[in-house]
Amino acid sequence: MKRLNVVTTPVFLAFALLIICFPPGLLAQQPDDASEVTAVIGARTILTDWSDPLAALGTLRANESVTLSSTVTDTVEALNFEGGEKVAKGQVLVRLSASEERADLKAAQTLREERANAVQRLARLQQRDLAPLADLEDSRTQLRQVEAEIQALQARLDDHTIRAPFEGVVGARQLSIGTLVTPGSELVTLDDVERLKLDFRIPEVQLGMMAVGLPIVATSSAYPDEVFEGTVSIIDSRVDPVSRSVGVRALLNNDERLLRPGMLMRVTVTRAPRQTLVIPESALVPQGRRQYVWVVRQTENDEVKDDHVESAPVERREVEIGSRREGEIEILEGLEQGDMVVSHGGDRLRQGVRVRLIGVVDENTSVSEILDAQRSEDDN
């Protein structure tokens, strides 16, 4: 009997200590995972346009660009531009003094009339056998010589008139009337800026994913809020053996004439364009090499108030991811369009826990706006 008392006494002491430290009321208050509700923010799985972007730096060039210069030595007689304005093809820009050439042309034209009259007289005489045929042929040869000389003088005269070879925008004027110019002297620049060429380089390893016709977008520090769109037009036929890169040229429309040749542009090539499922990157729950998301399984019996779900179960689901871009990630398998995933608050979830969805993040609603609205609601 004494031995029984010795064995049972420590058990009773331990039980008494448990009662003292953890009263029955406190034990009854321990949370049950099945009834626990955690506030979270969700996001819909959406189907959207997607691509694998390739970023590079490029330099703008005019679609057509030329520096017009003189081929003769003479003084500037007239200037028909100030700089910066648009000119038409064939419009006269610079006219050089050509008084000597015009005098020589007038003399040659007078001689041509004289030779033509001589040919007519000899032709009438030869018809009546009053003049030898040889004289008529010599007179005709002399007339052709004068006509050739007139063409040469006209070409020399045309060299004194500088015209726009294509439609474009002229550069700033750098000369004045009376300036003596010589062959090779630069008179004016002309650029076709309605459409611009954007040259950039890509790594050799990316060549297999590049193709003519791929869309690109470009931005400039001069216009941070503007996005310029274009397409790849040329891929260079050679790879630089030093840099192991290849040149690419894209064409950009410049209808508003915001861009200028020589500007530095940030280029993003849109490769492998497709439609794919996308979720916020914050919804991913990585575990080793696997990726999971918490999916809100909303049913008809769940409590819904406005766009908020008061109580719904969540399910941890494994997904296969693709490429990433800022704040978003491509989903290849594991989700369907319209699935609601937990984007914020998933680190506090466990299997079997119910959630209270306080808001849904989308392109019109941010996390901060949802939290501010929830604080206002709690205060009221």
Side-chain angles (χ1 to χ4, degrees), residues 228-299:
F228 303 91
E229 298 180 352
T231 55
V232 174
S233 62
I234 296 174
I235 301 175
D236 206 343
S237 59
R238 296 184 179 182
V239 175
D240 189 330
V242 177
S243 64
R244 296 300 176 187
S245 62
V246 62
V248 179
R249 172 170 291 175
L251 294 179
L252 296 179
N253 289 326
N254 191 33
D255 298 334
E256 299 181 3
R257 291 174 55 183
L258 296 178
L259 302 176
R260 297 287 187 274
M263 292 178 66
L264 179 68
M265 303 291 289
R266 290 180 293 274
V267 190
T268 302
V269 183
T270 305
R271 301 176 300 169
R274 58 193 182 276
Q275 287 240 317
T276 189
L277 295 176
V278 175
I279 63 171
E281 193 172 15
S282 58
L284 281 182
V285 181
Q287 185 174 345
R289 295 185 177 181
R290 296 183 175 182
Q291 301 287 344
Y292 296 89
V293 295
W294 290 103
V295 180
V296 180
R297 295 188 293 109
Q298 184 177 344
T299 65

Side-chain angles (χ1 to χ4, degrees), residues 41 356 358 367-380:
I41 297 176
R356 180 165 65 93
I358 64 174
V367 174
S368 59
E369 291 174 341
I370 294 174
L371 294 177
D372 291 342
Q374 184 63 30
R375 290 192 193 99
S376 300
E377 183 178 338
D378 293 341
D379 293 340
N380 295 332

Side-chain angles (χ1 to χ4, degrees), residues 121-133 135:
R121 288 194 300 269
L122 287 173
R124 287 194 295 267
L125 291 174
Q126 203 279 328
Q127 288 177 356
R128 291 180 291 172
D129 293 331
L130 298 177
L133 181 60
D135 291 346

Side-chain angles (χ1 to χ4, degrees), residues 141-373:
T141 300
Q142 292 174 359
L143 177 60
R144 287 194 293 269
Q145 289 176 344
V146 173
E147 290 176 343
E149 183 179 351
I150 289 175
Q151 291 178 358
L153 289 172
Q154 186 64 56
R156 289 172 55 190
L157 188 61
D158 291 342
D159 289 339
H160 288 69
T161 302
I162 312 300
R163 300 177 182 272
F166 51 82
E167 182 179 319
V169 178
V170 292
R173 182 161 64 90
Q174 302 293 339
L175 69 162
S176 303
I177 295 176
T179 302
L180 178 66
V181 297
T182 57
S185 297
E186 296 182 1
L187 304 180
V188 58
T189 60
L190 179 65
D191 296 304
D192 177 9
V193 295
E194 293 293 332
R195 193 168 59 165
L196 296 177
K197 299 171 182 176
L198 179 58
D199 292 339
F200 57 96
R201 306 193 70 83
I202 62 169
E204 175 188 357
V205 295
Q206 302 289 346
L207 185 58
M209 300 185 67
M210 189 64 59
V212 173
L214 284 179
I216 66 109
V217 293
T219 58
S220 169
S221 299
Y223 307 102
D225 298 329
E226 295 285 341
V227 176
F228 303 91
E229 298 180 352
T231 55
V232 174
S233 62
I234 296 174
I235 301 175
D236 206 343
S237 59
R238 296 184 179 182
V239 175
D240 189 330
V242 177
S243 64
R244 296 300 176 187
S245 62
V246 62
V248 179
R249 172 170 291 175
L251 294 179
L252 296 179
N253 289 326
N254 191 33
D255 298 334
E256 299 181 3
R257 291 174 55 183
L258 296 178
L259 302 176
R260 297 287 187 274
M263 292 178 66
L264 179 68
M265 303 291 289
R266 290 180 293 274
V267 190
T268 302
V269 183
T270 305
R271 301 176 300 169
R274 58 193 182 276
Q275 287 240 317
T276 189
L277 295 176
V278 175
I279 63 171
E281 193 172 15
S282 58
L284 281 182
V285 181
Q287 185 174 345
R289 295 185 177 181
R290 296 183 175 182
Q291 301 287 344
Y292 296 89
V293 295
W294 290 103
V295 180
V296 180
R297 295 188 293 109
Q298 184 177 344
T299 65
E300 295 180 357
N301 297 326
D302 295 331
E303 302 177 28
V304 179
K305 181 181 179 181
D306 297 331
D307 293 332
H308 303 275
V309 178
E310 295 298 325
S311 178
V314 291
E315 170 193 358
R316 195 178 76 153
R317 189 179 300 175
E318 184 177 358
V319 295
E320 182 180 349
I321 63 174
S323 58
R324 302 171 184 250
R325 62 188 183 192
E326 185 177 0
E328 295 180 322
I329 192 162
E330 179 185 18
I331 299 297
L332 302 180
E333 289 184 9
L335 293 175
E336 296 181 358
Q337 182 179 359
D339 284 347
M340 179 71 72
V341 297
V342 176
S343 64
H344 293 80
D347 54 334
R348 296 176 290 137
L349 297 181
R350 299 185 303 277
Q351 195 72 29
V353 170
R354 297 183 70 85
V355 297
R356 180 165 65 93
L357 196 63
I358 64 174
V360 178
V361 177
D362 55 29
E363 59 182 6
N364 299 319
T365 307
S366 64
V367 174
S368 59
E369 291 174 341
I370 294 174
L371 294 177
D372 291 342

Side-chain angles (χ1 to χ4, degrees), residues 16-226:
L17 183 61
L18 181 63
I19 295 295
I20 295 172
C21 295
F22 299 96
L26 182 60
L27 292 174
Q29 295 175 4
Q30 295 301 312
D32 182 8
D33 285 351
S35 61
E36 183 180 349
V37 178
T38 303
V40 297
I41 297 176
R44 291 282 183 191
T45 304
I46 61 173
L47 184 66
T48 187
D49 294 329
W50 191 271
S51 66
D52 299 322
L54 174 63
L57 292 176
T59 301
L60 284 177
R61 303 183 187 279
N63 186 42
E64 300 291 346
S65 181
V66 67
T67 299
L68 301 177
S69 59
S70 172
T71 59
V72 298
T73 299
D74 226 312
T75 58
V76 177
E77 183 179 72
L79 293 169
N80 297 331
F81 71 97
E82 287 297 327
E85 67 264 32
K86 186 176 180 180
V87 297
K89 179 180 179 179
Q91 181 175 331
V92 176
L93 302 178
V94 181
R95 195 183 300 276
L96 304 179
S97 178
S99 55
E100 183 178 350
E101 285 74 12
R102 282 193 288 269
D104 291 343
L105 179 60
K106 188 175 182 179
Q109 290 171 342
T110 302
L111 181 59
R112 179 179 61 183
E113 294 178 1
E114 180 182 341
R115 295 286 172 83
N117 291 334
V119 169
Q120 291 177 2
R121 288 194 300 269
L122 287 173
R124 287 194 295 267
L125 291 174
Q126 203 279 328
Q127 288 177 356
R128 291 180 291 172
D129 293 331
L130 298 177
L133 181 60
D135 291 346
L136 176 60
E137 294 297 332
D138 289 342
S139 183
R140 287 174 175 170
T141 300
Q142 292 174 359
L143 177 60
R144 287 194 293 269
Q145 289 176 344
V146 173
E147 290 176 343
E149 183 179 351
I150 289 175
Q151 291 178 358
L153 289 172
Q154 186 64 56
R156 289 172 55 190
L157 188 61
D158 291 342
D159 289 339
H160 288 69
T161 302
I162 312 300
R163 300 177 182 272
F166 51 82
E167 182 179 319
V169 178
V170 292
R173 182 161 64 90
Q174 302 293 339
L175 69 162
S176 303
I177 295 176
T179 302
L180 178 66
V181 297
T182 57
S185 297
E186 296 182 1
L187 304 180
V188 58
T189 60
L190 179 65
D191 296 304
D192 177 9
V193 295
E194 293 293 332
R195 193 168 59 165
L196 296 177
K197 299 171 182 176
L198 179 58
D199 292 339
F200 57 96
R201 306 193 70 83
I202 62 169
E204 175 188 357
V205 295
Q206 302 289 346
L207 185 58
M209 300 185 67
M210 189 64 59
V212 173
L214 284 179
I216 66 109
V217 293
T219 58
S220 169
S221 299
Y223 307 102
D225 298 329
E226 295 285 341

